């Protein structure tokens, strides 16, 4: 997450190592920001992520008042890639951020980087 051009927080998925499906970095950013940023700083923040926020993370982002989201690959793209690898469907619908939090500023997908995220998804072992 950047605030005034300065990286203030970075994280990664912890689902596989903890077994906790709620340990998304986007959710951790929301939690961290409430403790460490003022409401104005949260509103001015930009969150960059490789994949579009899931509904849980989009809601958390909106509830704490974080600013703009920039993502590389859409939830729909990631869902298609994982299905093609034989993965188990997510128990949560792959909704666009705008369907969950319609007032957030959102940019994505970032076409020049989508193939890099697809390769990362393909390297993961599909869950069965």
């Amino acid at each position: 997450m950047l605030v005034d051009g300065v990286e203030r927080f970075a994280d990664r998925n912890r689902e596989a190592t903890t077994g906790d499906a709620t340990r998304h970095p986007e959710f951790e950013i929301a939690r961290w920001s409430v403790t460490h940023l003022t409401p104005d700083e949260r509103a001015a923040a930009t969150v960059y992520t490789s994949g579009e926020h899931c509904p849980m993370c989009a809601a958390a982002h909106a509830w704490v008042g974080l600013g703009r989201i920039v993502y590389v690959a859409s939830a729909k793209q990631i869902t298609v890639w994982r299905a093609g690898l034989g993965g188990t469907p997510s128990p949560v619908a792959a909704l666009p951020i705008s369907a969950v939090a319609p007032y957030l500023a959102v940019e994505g997908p970032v076409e020049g980087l989508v193939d890099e995220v697809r390769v990362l998804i393909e390297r993961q072992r599909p869950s069965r």
Side-chain angles (χ1 to χ4, degrees):
M1 170 193 343
L2 294 182
V3 179
D4 295 328
V6 176
E7 183 180 281
R8 299 290 301 272
F9 186 87
D11 204 5
R12 59 179 170 72
N13 272 330
R14 298 174 193 285
E15 297 171 61
T17 58
T18 66
D20 181 350
T22 67
R23 294 296 305 270
H24 296 191
E26 299 86 0
F27 202 84
E28 301 295 334
I29 288 169
R31 285 183 175 148
W32 179 89
S33 72
V34 171
T35 304
H36 296 90
L37 300 175
T38 67
D40 287 343
E41 288 173 320
R42 290 194 303 268
T46 299
V47 174
Y48 294 92
T49 182
S50 55
E52 184 174 16
H53 286 29
C54 73
M56 172 185 70
C57 294
H61 190 111
W63 278 117
V64 303
L66 282 168
R68 179 174 76 126
I69 299 169
V70 179
Y71 66 86
V72 176
S74 73
K76 182 177 180 178
Q77 289 170 312
I78 293 169
T79 298
V80 169
W81 297 333
R82 287 186 174 151
L85 294 169
T88 303
S90 172
V92 177
L95 300 173
I97 295 167
S98 61
V100 177
Y103 305 110
L104 290 177
V106 179
E107 296 176 35
V110 178
E111 295 302 331
L113 299 173
V114 167
D115 285 339
E116 290 182 40
V117 173
R118 183 185 46 76
V119 167
L120 293 174
I121 297 293
E122 289 173 349
R123 287 183 187 161
Q124 294 176 348
R125 173 189 282 171
S127 58
R128 299 220 180 230

